[in-house]
Coordinates of all heavy atoms in Angstrom, one line a residue:
D1187 N -2.3 -28.8 12.2 CA -3.8 -28.7 12.0 C -4.2 -27.2 11.8 O -5.1 -26.9 11.0 CB -4.5 -29.1 13.3 CG -4.4 -30.7 13.4 OD1 -4.3 -31.3 12.4 OD2 -4.5 -31.1 14.6
F1188 N -3.5 -26.3 12.5 CA -3.9 -24.9 12.3 C -2.8 -24.1 11.5 O -1.7 -24.1 11.9 CB -4.1 -24.2 13.7 CG -5.2 -24.8 14.5 CD1 -5.0 -25.8 15.4 CD2 -6.5 -24.4 14.2 CE1 -6.0 -26.3 16.2 CE2 -7.6 -25.0 14.9 CZ -7.3 -25.9 15.9
L1189 N -3.3 -23.5 10.4 CA -2.3 -22.8 9.5 C -2.4 -21.3 9.8 O -3.4 -20.8 10.2 CB -2.8 -23.1 8.1 CG -2.8 -24.5 7.7 CD1 -3.4 -24.7 6.3 CD2 -1.4 -25.1 7.7
P1190 N -1.2 -20.7 9.7 CA -1.2 -19.2 9.9 C -2.0 -18.5 8.9 O -1.9 -18.8 7.7 CB 0.3 -18.9 9.9 CG 0.9 -20.0 9.1 CD 0.1 -21.2 9.3
K1191 N -2.8 -17.5 9.3 CA -3.6 -16.7 8.4 C -3.6 -15.3 9.0 O -3.1 -15.0 10.1 CB -5.1 -17.2 8.4 CG -5.3 -18.6 7.9 CD -5.0 -18.7 6.4 CE -5.3 -20.1 6.0 NZ -5.1 -20.3 4.5
I1192 N -4.1 -14.3 8.2 CA -4.3 -13.0 8.6 C -5.7 -12.6 8.6 O -6.4 -13.0 7.6 CB -3.5 -12.0 7.7 CG1 -2.0 -12.2 7.8 CG2 -3.8 -10.5 8.1 CD1 -1.3 -11.9 9.1
K1193 N -6.2 -12.0 9.7 CA -7.6 -11.6 9.7 C -7.6 -10.0 9.6 O -7.0 -9.3 10.4 CB -8.3 -12.0 11.0 CG -9.7 -11.6 11.1 CD -10.2 -12.1 12.5 CE -11.7 -11.7 12.7 NZ -12.2 -12.2 14.0
I1194 N -8.3 -9.5 8.6 CA -8.5 -8.1 8.3 C -9.9 -7.7 8.7 O -10.8 -8.4 8.2 CB -8.2 -7.7 6.9 CG1 -6.7 -8.1 6.5 CG2 -8.4 -6.3 6.6 CD1 -6.4 -7.9 5.0
E1195 N -10.0 -6.7 9.5 CA -11.4 -6.2 9.9 C -11.5 -4.8 9.5 O -10.6 -4.0 9.9 CB -11.6 -6.4 11.4 CG -11.5 -7.8 11.9 CD -11.6 -7.9 13.4 OE1 -12.7 -8.0 13.9 OE2 -10.5 -7.9 14.0
V1196 N -12.5 -4.4 8.8 CA -12.8 -3.0 8.4 C -14.3 -2.8 8.6 O -15.1 -3.6 8.4 CB -12.4 -2.7 7.0 CG1 -10.9 -2.9 6.8 CG2 -13.1 -3.5 5.9
V1197 N -14.6 -1.6 9.0 CA -16.0 -1.1 9.1 C -16.1 0.0 8.1 O -15.3 1.0 8.1 CB -16.3 -0.6 10.5 CG1 -17.7 -0.1 10.5 CG2 -16.2 -1.7 11.5
V1198 N -17.1 -0.2 7.2 CA -17.2 0.8 6.1 C -18.7 1.2 5.9 O -19.6 0.4 6.3 CB -16.7 0.2 4.7 CG1 -15.2 -0.1 4.8 CG2 -17.5 -1.1 4.3
P1199 N -19.0 2.3 5.3 CA -20.3 2.7 5.0 C -20.9 1.7 4.0 O -20.2 1.1 3.2 CB -20.2 4.1 4.4 CG -18.8 4.5 4.5 CD -18.0 3.3 4.9
D1200 N -22.2 1.6 4.0 CA -22.9 0.6 3.1 C -22.5 0.9 1.6 O -22.5 -0.1 0.8 CB -24.4 0.7 3.2 CG -24.9 0.2 4.6 OD1 -24.2 -0.7 5.1 OD2 -26.0 0.6 5.0
T1201 N -22.2 2.1 1.3 CA -21.9 2.4 -0.1 C -20.6 1.8 -0.6 O -20.3 1.7 -1.8 CB -21.8 4.0 -0.3 OG1 -20.9 4.5 0.6 CG2 -23.2 4.6 -0.1
L1202 N -19.7 1.5 0.4 CA -18.4 0.9 0.0 C -18.3 -0.6 0.1 O -17.3 -1.2 -0.3 CB -17.3 1.5 0.9 CG -16.6 2.8 0.5 CD1 -15.6 3.3 1.5 CD2 -16.1 2.8 -0.9
V1203 N -19.3 -1.2 0.6 CA -19.2 -2.7 0.9 C -18.9 -3.5 -0.3 O -17.9 -4.3 -0.3 CB -20.6 -3.2 1.6 CG1 -20.6 -4.7 1.7 CG2 -20.8 -2.5 2.9
N1204 N -19.6 -3.3 -1.4 CA -19.3 -4.2 -2.6 C -17.9 -3.9 -3.1 O -17.3 -4.9 -3.6 CB -20.4 -3.9 -3.6 CG -21.8 -4.5 -3.2 OD1 -21.8 -5.4 -2.4 ND2 -22.8 -3.9 -3.7
K1205 N -17.5 -2.7 -3.1 CA -16.2 -2.4 -3.7 C -15.1 -3.0 -2.8 O -14.1 -3.6 -3.3 CB -16.0 -0.8 -3.7 CG -14.7 -0.4 -4.3 CD -14.5 -0.8 -5.7 CE -13.2 -0.2 -6.3 NZ -12.9 -0.8 -7.6
V1206 N -15.2 -2.9 -1.5 CA -14.2 -3.5 -0.6 C -14.2 -5.0 -0.7 O -13.1 -5.6 -0.8 CB -14.5 -3.1 0.9 CG1 -13.7 -3.9 1.9 CG2 -14.3 -1.6 1.1
I1207 N -15.3 -5.7 -0.9 CA -15.4 -7.1 -1.1 C -14.7 -7.5 -2.4 O -13.9 -8.4 -2.4 CB -16.8 -7.6 -1.1 CG1 -17.4 -7.5 0.3 CG2 -16.9 -9.1 -1.6 CD1 -18.9 -7.7 0.4
E1208 N -15.0 -6.8 -3.4 CA -14.3 -7.0 -4.7 C -12.8 -6.9 -4.7 O -12.1 -7.7 -5.2 CB -14.9 -6.1 -5.8 CG -14.4 -6.3 -7.2 CD -14.8 -7.7 -7.8 OE1 -15.7 -8.3 -7.3 OE2 -14.0 -8.1 -8.7
V1209 N -12.3 -5.8 -4.0 CA -10.9 -5.6 -3.9 C -10.2 -6.7 -3.1 O -9.2 -7.2 -3.5 CB -10.6 -4.2 -3.2 CG1 -9.2 -4.1 -2.7 CG2 -11.0 -3.1 -4.1
I1210 N -10.8 -7.1 -2.0 CA -10.2 -8.2 -1.3 C -10.2 -9.5 -2.1 O -9.2 -10.2 -2.1 CB -11.0 -8.4 0.1 CG1 -10.8 -7.2 1.0 CG2 -10.5 -9.7 0.8 CD1 -11.7 -7.2 2.2
M1211 N -11.3 -9.8 -2.7 CA -11.4 -11.1 -3.5 C -10.4 -11.1 -4.6 O -9.7 -12.1 -4.8 CB -12.8 -11.2 -4.1 CG -13.9 -11.7 -3.2 SD -15.5 -11.8 -3.9 CE -15.2 -12.8 -5.3
V1212 N -10.3 -10.0 -5.4 CA -9.3 -10.0 -6.5 C -7.9 -10.0 -6.0 O -7.0 -10.7 -6.5 CB -9.6 -8.7 -7.4 CG1 -8.5 -8.5 -8.4 CG2 -10.9 -8.9 -8.1
T1213 N -7.6 -9.2 -5.0 CA -6.2 -9.1 -4.5 C -5.7 -10.3 -3.7 O -4.6 -10.7 -3.9 CB -6.1 -7.8 -3.6 OG1 -6.7 -6.7 -4.3 CG2 -4.7 -7.5 -3.3
A1214 N -6.6 -10.9 -2.9 CA -6.1 -12.0 -2.1 C -6.2 -13.4 -2.8 O -5.6 -14.4 -2.3 CB -7.0 -12.1 -0.8
R1215 N -6.8 -13.4 -4.0 CA -7.0 -14.7 -4.7 C -5.7 -15.2 -5.3 O -5.0 -14.5 -6.0 CB -8.0 -14.5 -5.8 CG -8.2 -15.8 -6.6 CD -9.3 -15.7 -7.6 NE -10.6 -15.4 -7.0 CZ -11.5 -14.5 -7.5 NH1 -11.2 -13.8 -8.5 NH2 -12.6 -14.4 -6.9
T1216 N -5.3 -16.5 -5.0 CA -4.2 -17.1 -5.7 C -4.7 -18.2 -6.6 O -3.9 -18.7 -7.4 CB -3.2 -17.7 -4.6 OG1 -3.9 -18.8 -4.0 CG2 -2.7 -16.7 -3.7
G1217 N -5.9 -18.7 -6.4 CA -6.5 -19.8 -7.1 C -6.2 -21.1 -6.5 O -6.6 -22.1 -7.1
K1218 N -5.6 -21.1 -5.3 CA -5.3 -22.4 -4.7 C -6.1 -22.5 -3.4 O -6.6 -21.5 -2.9 CB -3.8 -22.5 -4.4 CG -2.9 -22.4 -5.6 CD -1.5 -22.5 -5.3 CE -0.7 -22.5 -6.6 NZ 0.7 -22.2 -6.4
I1219 N -6.2 -23.7 -2.9 CA -7.0 -24.0 -1.7 C -6.4 -23.2 -0.6 O -5.2 -23.0 -0.5 CB -7.0 -25.5 -1.4 CG1 -8.1 -25.7 -0.3 CG2 -5.7 -26.0 -1.0 CD1 -8.4 -27.2 -0.2
G1220 N -7.2 -22.6 0.3 CA -6.7 -21.9 1.5 C -6.7 -20.4 1.2 O -6.1 -19.6 2.0
D1221 N -7.2 -19.9 0.1 CA -7.2 -18.4 -0.2 C -7.9 -17.6 0.9 O -7.6 -16.5 1.1 CB -7.8 -18.1 -1.5 CG -6.8 -18.2 -2.6 OD1 -5.6 -18.4 -2.4 OD2 -7.2 -18.2 -3.8
G1222 N -8.9 -18.2 1.6 CA -9.6 -17.5 2.7 C -11.1 -17.4 2.5 O -11.7 -17.9 1.6
K1223 N -11.6 -16.5 3.4 CA -13.0 -16.3 3.4 C -13.3 -14.8 3.7 O -12.4 -14.1 4.3 CB -13.7 -17.1 4.6 CG -13.6 -18.5 4.4 CD -14.8 -19.1 3.8 CE -15.0 -20.6 3.9 NZ -14.0 -21.4 3.2
I1224 N -14.5 -14.3 3.3 CA -14.9 -12.9 3.7 C -16.3 -13.1 4.3 O -17.1 -13.8 3.8 CB -15.0 -12.1 2.4 CG1 -13.7 -11.9 1.7 CG2 -15.6 -10.7 2.8 CD1 -13.7 -11.2 0.4
F1225 N -16.4 -12.4 5.4 CA -17.7 -12.3 6.2 C -18.2 -10.9 6.3 O -17.3 -10.0 6.5 CB -17.6 -12.9 7.6 CG -17.1 -14.3 7.5 CD1 -15.7 -14.6 7.8 CD2 -17.9 -15.4 7.3 CE1 -15.2 -15.9 7.8 CE2 -17.4 -16.7 7.2 CZ -16.1 -16.9 7.5
V1226 N -19.4 -10.6 6.1 CA -20.0 -9.3 6.2 C -21.0 -9.3 7.3 O -22.0 -10.1 7.3 CB -20.6 -8.9 4.8 CG1 -21.2 -7.5 5.0 CG2 -19.6 -8.9 3.7
L1227 N -20.9 -8.4 8.3 CA -21.8 -8.3 9.4 C -22.3 -6.9 9.5 O -21.7 -5.9 9.3 CB -21.0 -8.6 10.7 CG -20.3 -10.0 10.8 CD1 -18.9 -9.9 10.4 CD2 -20.4 -10.5 12.1
P1228 N -23.6 -6.8 10.0 CA -24.2 -5.5 10.2 C -23.6 -4.8 11.4 O -23.2 -5.5 12.4 CB -25.6 -5.8 10.4 CG -25.7 -7.2 10.9 CD -24.5 -7.9 10.3
V1229 N -23.4 -3.5 11.4 CA -22.9 -2.8 12.5 C -24.0 -1.8 12.9 O -24.5 -1.0 12.1 CB -21.6 -2.0 12.2 CG1 -21.2 -1.0 13.3 CG2 -20.5 -2.9 11.8
Q1230 N -24.5 -2.0 14.1 CA -25.6 -1.2 14.6 C -25.2 0.3 14.9 O -25.9 1.2 14.6 CB -26.1 -1.8 15.9 CG -27.3 -1.1 16.4 CD -27.9 -1.8 17.6 OE1 -27.7 -3.0 17.9 NE2 -28.7 -1.1 18.4
E1231 N -24.0 0.4 15.4 CA -23.5 1.8 15.8 C -22.0 1.8 15.8 O -21.4 0.8 16.2 CB -24.1 2.2 17.1 CG -23.8 3.6 17.6 CD -24.4 4.7 16.7 OE1 -25.5 5.1 16.9 OE2 -23.7 5.1 15.7
G1232 N -21.4 3.0 15.5 CA -20.0 3.2 15.7 C -19.8 4.6 16.3 O -20.5 5.5 15.9
I1233 N -18.9 4.7 17.2 CA -18.7 5.9 18.0 C -17.2 6.2 18.1 O -16.5 5.3 18.5 CB -19.3 5.9 19.4 CG1 -20.8 5.5 19.3 CG2 -19.1 7.2 20.1 CD1 -21.4 5.1 20.6

């Protein structure tokens, strides 16, 4: 039922968000079912 996957987490400035999403989409895509998902969440603060 549960397939092995890798979860990558990065925190980036707003200026890099679209570029990072594009890089992940293009690089991780195989064109077959199960290629994965990308989620974008706001970060209130980083220290």
Side-chain angles (χ1 to χ4, degrees):
D1187 290 333
F1188 295 99
L1189 302 173
K1191 301 287 182 179
I1192 297 293
K1193 180 178 182 180
I1194 299 175
E1195 299 173 89
V1196 297
V1197 177
V1198 297
D1200 291 335
T1201 56
L1202 274 181
V1203 171
N1204 290 334
K1205 181 64 175 169
V1206 168
I1207 291 169
E1208 182 67 21
V1209 164
I1210 295 170
M1211 282 179 50
V1212 169
T1213 310
R1215 180 180 294 140
T1216 66
K1218 298 181 180 164
I1219 193 165
D1221 274 350
K1223 298 266 193 291
I1224 299 172
F1225 303 100
V1226 181
L1227 301 97
V1229 174
Q1230 184 174 342
E1231 183 66 85
I1233 303 163

